[in-house]
Structure formats: C-alpha cells, structure tokens
Amino acid sequence: MSRDFRDLIHVVPDFPKPGISFKDITPLLADGPAFADCIDRMATAVKAFGADMVAAPESRGFLFGVPVAMKLGIGFAPIRKKGKLPRKTRSITYALEYGTDTLFIHEDAVGPGQKVVVIDDVLATGGTMAACIGLVRDCGADVTGAAFLMELGFLDGRSKLGGVPVHALVAY
Ligand code: AMP
C-alpha cells in the first residue's frame, strides 16, 4: 500500500506571513523511497492524461515535472520568471493577492499537435497554473491535464483551470 505523503509535508503556520499555512515539502524530498514513490504515482497520472510533454513553472514545479518527464521518456518545457529564457518567448501576466506577476515560455517549447500536462507542487488559488495553461495554449498545444503533489481544496483553484482535469496526490 502506498504511504500517505502528508507525514512528510510539514505544515508551518504563519510563513512567509501571518495567516499562511505553508506546506514544506523538503522532508518528502529528503526521503528517497518516498520521493521515488511520489514521482511514480504522479507519472502514472500524467501518463493517463495522454501526455507527450510536461510543462512546469519554476522552481518547485521543476522538482516534480523533470523527474516525471524522465520517467515517462517525454520532454520537459520550463516556464520561468522574467529575464531567464534567452530566446523568443510568450508571456502572461496574472493577478496576485497584491499586484501582478509574469511568467514566460519559449515560443517553440511546445506546439500544435502536442498534448501537454502541467505540473506543480501545490494547487492553491490556481493563479499560477491558470497562467501556465494559458502559455501552453498560446503556443498552440493542448493541455490534457494538471498534476500536483497537493491541492488546497478550500481555495478552489480547480475552478480557475478552465475545465482542465486535475490530479493531486494529497488534498488539504
Ligand atoms: P497559486 O497560484 O495560488 O495556486 O499558488 C501556487 C504556487 O504557490 C505554487 O507554485 C506553490 O509552490 C506556492 N504555494 C501557494 N500556497 C502555498 C502554501 N500554502 N504552501 C506552500 N506553497 C504554496
């Protein structure tokens, strides 16, 4: 039977600011067999979404997106913050609690005919993942699913993802 990853996600109250219950995944990353099990289970979900490419936002999305892509033998497209990608990009600006943020993807990172699954560690309000989905679609690819280690269900991030099917290993 697979283990409950909640044992390896430390909940840190009031970090990085009062009222936020921060989910620290470093104990999971530090436990080799548990991390491998986590990647296996995520990869199973991503395969079921029919992915031929994974895309993920920096930086914690990379921790899960890259090993899942390698496990499935498919490609990985990084989604990055300003000033990191050297060639022609597409960008999207989205609202944060205070202000806005912008994410970028190389315009040829994914394209028409590709089935892309987007991955991140946490689905919270859904703003980050909605932006990632927008970028992949702007490049002409299909988004067939979104996979997360955990979903903070009370924030209803799913409702921001435009009907993209969601898989999360742990729900809070
Ligand atoms: P959101 O755009 O609100 O869905 O937030 C998603 C991003 O913020 C993810 O990339 C997470 O890494 C991070 N994040 C949001 N809320 C938390 C939390 N409570 N604990 C840890 N990381 C979080």
Side-chain angles (χ1 to χ4, degrees):
M1 199 186 90
S2 297
R3 65 184 301 163
D4 186 347
F5 296 120
R6 251 173 291 234
D7 299 343
L8 292 168
I9 298 167
H10 286 196
V11 179
V12 183
D14 299 321
F15 182 88
K17 57 185 184 184
I20 304 285
S21 164
F22 191 84
K23 309 297 185 295
D24 173 23
I25 60 166
T26 59
L28 171 60
L29 300 176
D31 183 325
F35 187 39
D37 183 24
C38 169
I39 295 304
D40 279 355
R41 287 169 57 186
M42 253 193 186
T44 300
V46 170
K47 190 172 183 185
F49 286 140
D52 48 37
M53 192 82 183
V54 167
E58 72 173 274
S59 55
R60 275 176 279 157
F62 292 6
L63 297 172
F64 299 91
V66 169
V68 165
M70 288 182 68
K71 174 113 198 150
L72 296 176
I74 60 179
F76 176 80
I79 293 173
R80 303 219 56 188
K81 298 200 167 145
K82 192 176 174 61
K84 305 290 186 187
L85 292 172
R87 294 186 295 102
K88 199 155 182 223
T89 55
R90 291 181 185 273
S91 68
I92 195 162
T93 297
Y94 62 104
L96 298 173
E97 194 180 353
Y98 302 104
T100 60
D101 208 352
T102 305
L103 288 173
F104 297 78
I105 191 169
H106 273 142
E107 65 171 6
D108 60 357
V110 294
Q114 278 188 310
K115 293 180 186 158
V116 180
V117 170
V118 286
I119 293 184
D120 204 356
D121 63 337
V122 179
L123 174 61
T125 66
T128 305
M129 203 37 94
C132 293
I133 290 167
L135 283 174
V136 170
R137 286 178 171 162
D138 275 359
C139 291
D142 287 335
V143 180
T144 58
F148 304 88
L149 169 60
M150 76 190 97
E151 174 180 15
L152 310 185
F154 56 93
L155 293 173
D156 196 27
R158 282 180 188 239
S159 66
K160 282 221 186 92
L161 305 189
V164 169
V166 170
H167 185 275
L169 298 180
V170 175
Y172 285 90

